PDB file of all heavy atoms in Angstrom:
ATOM      1  N   LYS A 246      -2.424   4.851   2.888  1.00 43.00           N
ATOM      2  CA  LYS A 246      -2.411   4.328   4.253  1.00 43.00           C
ATOM      3  C   LYS A 246      -3.266   5.190   5.157  1.00 43.00           C
ATOM      4  O   LYS A 246      -3.283   6.408   5.042  1.00 43.00           O
ATOM      5  CB  LYS A 246      -0.977   4.281   4.797  1.00 43.00           C
ATOM      6  CG  LYS A 246      -0.157   3.184   4.187  1.00 43.00           C
ATOM      7  CD  LYS A 246       1.200   3.104   4.834  1.00 43.00           C
ATOM      8  CE  LYS A 246       2.020   2.014   4.194  1.00 43.00           C
ATOM      9  NZ  LYS A 246       3.345   1.929   4.782  1.00 43.00           N
ATOM     10  N   ARG A 247      -3.978   4.531   6.034  1.00 40.00           N
ATOM     11  CA  ARG A 247      -4.822   5.231   6.998  1.00 40.00           C
ATOM     12  C   ARG A 247      -4.374   4.835   8.391  1.00 40.00           C
ATOM     13  O   ARG A 247      -3.790   3.773   8.577  1.00 40.00           O
ATOM     14  CB  ARG A 247      -6.283   4.852   6.788  1.00 40.00           C
ATOM     15  CG  ARG A 247      -6.824   5.267   5.439  1.00 40.00           C
ATOM     16  CD  ARG A 247      -8.295   4.925   5.302  1.00 40.00           C
ATOM     17  NE  ARG A 247      -8.641   3.593   5.753  1.00 40.00           N
ATOM     18  CZ  ARG A 247      -8.759   2.514   4.956  1.00 40.00           C
ATOM     19  NH1 ARG A 247      -8.544   2.624   3.680  1.00 40.00           N
ATOM     20  NH2 ARG A 247      -9.103   1.350   5.443  1.00 40.00           N
ATOM     21  N   PRO A 248      -4.672   5.693   9.413  1.00 44.00           N
ATOM     22  CA  PRO A 248      -4.264   5.360  10.780  1.00 44.00           C
ATOM     23  C   PRO A 248      -4.784   4.008  11.249  1.00 44.00           C
ATOM     24  O   PRO A 248      -4.157   3.345  12.028  1.00 44.00           O
ATOM     25  CB  PRO A 248      -4.847   6.494  11.613  1.00 44.00           C
ATOM     26  CG  PRO A 248      -4.938   7.638  10.672  1.00 44.00           C
ATOM     27  CD  PRO A 248      -5.242   7.018   9.323  1.00 44.00           C
ATOM     28  N   GLY A 249      -5.913   3.546  10.756  1.00 43.00           N
ATOM     29  CA  GLY A 249      -6.477   2.279  11.179  1.00 43.00           C
ATOM     30  C   GLY A 249      -5.834   1.076  10.523  1.00 43.00           C
ATOM     31  O   GLY A 249      -6.179  -0.053  10.801  1.00 43.00           O
ATOM     32  N   ASP A 250      -4.897   1.287   9.603  1.00 41.00           N
ATOM     33  CA  ASP A 250      -4.250   0.208   8.867  1.00 41.00           C
ATOM     34  C   ASP A 250      -3.018  -0.336   9.584  1.00 41.00           C
ATOM     35  O   ASP A 250      -2.049  -0.711   8.958  1.00 41.00           O
ATOM     36  CB  ASP A 250      -3.848   0.681   7.465  1.00 41.00           C
ATOM     37  CG  ASP A 250      -5.051   0.950   6.586  1.00 41.00           C
ATOM     38  OD1 ASP A 250      -6.115   0.369   6.850  1.00 41.00           O
ATOM     39  OD2 ASP A 250      -4.904   1.742   5.636  1.00 41.00           O
ATOM     40  N   GLY A 251      -3.042  -0.354  10.894  1.00 43.00           N
ATOM     41  CA  GLY A 251      -1.943  -0.916  11.650  1.00 43.00           C
ATOM     42  C   GLY A 251      -0.830   0.060  11.951  1.00 43.00           C
ATOM     43  O   GLY A 251       0.209  -0.328  12.440  1.00 43.00           O
ATOM     44  N   GLU A 252      -1.023   1.307  11.618  1.00 42.00           N
ATOM     45  CA  GLU A 252      -0.007   2.317  11.917  1.00 42.00           C
ATOM     46  C   GLU A 252      -0.594   3.364  12.840  1.00 42.00           C
ATOM     47  O   GLU A 252      -1.793   3.611  12.837  1.00 42.00           O
ATOM     48  CB  GLU A 252       0.448   3.006  10.625  1.00 42.00           C
ATOM     49  CG  GLU A 252       1.241   2.118   9.717  1.00 42.00           C
ATOM     50  CD  GLU A 252       1.788   2.908   8.548  1.00 42.00           C
ATOM     51  OE1 GLU A 252       1.547   4.120   8.470  1.00 42.00           O
ATOM     52  OE2 GLU A 252       2.471   2.297   7.725  1.00 42.00           O
ATOM     53  N   LYS A 253       0.289   3.981  13.598  1.00 45.00           N
ATOM     54  CA  LYS A 253      -0.146   5.089  14.435  1.00 45.00           C
ATOM     55  C   LYS A 253      -0.387   6.304  13.550  1.00 45.00           C
ATOM     56  O   LYS A 253       0.262   6.466  12.523  1.00 45.00           O
ATOM     57  CB  LYS A 253       0.915   5.422  15.486  1.00 45.00           C
ATOM     58  CG  LYS A 253       1.037   4.350  16.537  1.00 45.00           C
ATOM     59  CD  LYS A 253       1.986   4.774  17.603  1.00 45.00           C
ATOM     60  CE  LYS A 253       2.041   3.703  18.675  1.00 45.00           C
ATOM     61  NZ  LYS A 253       2.924   4.066  19.752  1.00 45.00           N
ATOM     62  N   PRO A 254      -1.340   7.183  13.944  1.00 44.00           N
ATOM     63  CA  PRO A 254      -1.567   8.382  13.143  1.00 44.00           C
ATOM     64  C   PRO A 254      -0.314   9.243  13.090  1.00 44.00           C
ATOM     65  O   PRO A 254       0.457   9.296  14.044  1.00 44.00           O
ATOM     66  CB  PRO A 254      -2.670   9.120  13.893  1.00 44.00           C
ATOM     67  CG  PRO A 254      -3.167   8.216  14.940  1.00 44.00           C
ATOM     68  CD  PRO A 254      -2.193   7.101  15.101  1.00 44.00           C
ATOM     69  N   ASN A 255      -0.108   9.922  11.985  1.00 44.00           N
ATOM     70  CA  ASN A 255       1.029  10.810  11.823  1.00 44.00           C
ATOM     71  C   ASN A 255       0.723  12.122  12.538  1.00 44.00           C
ATOM     72  O   ASN A 255      -0.082  12.907  12.073  1.00 44.00           O
ATOM     73  CB  ASN A 255       1.290  11.043  10.331  1.00 44.00           C
ATOM     74  CG  ASN A 255       2.498  11.903  10.097  1.00 44.00           C
ATOM     75  OD1 ASN A 255       3.118  12.392  11.042  1.00 44.00           O
ATOM     76  ND2 ASN A 255       2.843  12.103   8.851  1.00 44.00           N
ATOM     77  N   LEU A 278      -6.587  12.129  20.943  1.00 96.00           N
ATOM     78  CA  LEU A 278      -6.050  11.031  20.143  1.00 96.00           C
ATOM     79  C   LEU A 278      -5.204  10.090  21.003  1.00 96.00           C
ATOM     80  O   LEU A 278      -5.248   8.872  20.832  1.00 96.00           O
ATOM     81  CB  LEU A 278      -5.217  11.603  18.995  1.00 96.00           C
ATOM     82  CG  LEU A 278      -4.832  10.688  17.860  1.00 96.00           C
ATOM     83  CD1 LEU A 278      -6.061  10.156  17.138  1.00 96.00           C
ATOM     84  CD2 LEU A 278      -3.931  11.436  16.888  1.00 96.00           C
TER      85      LEU A 278
END
Side-chain angles (χ1 to χ4, degrees):
K246 287 185 181 179
R247 297 183 315 264
D250 292 336
E252 291 187 0
K253 290 185 178 181
N255 183 356
L278 194 62

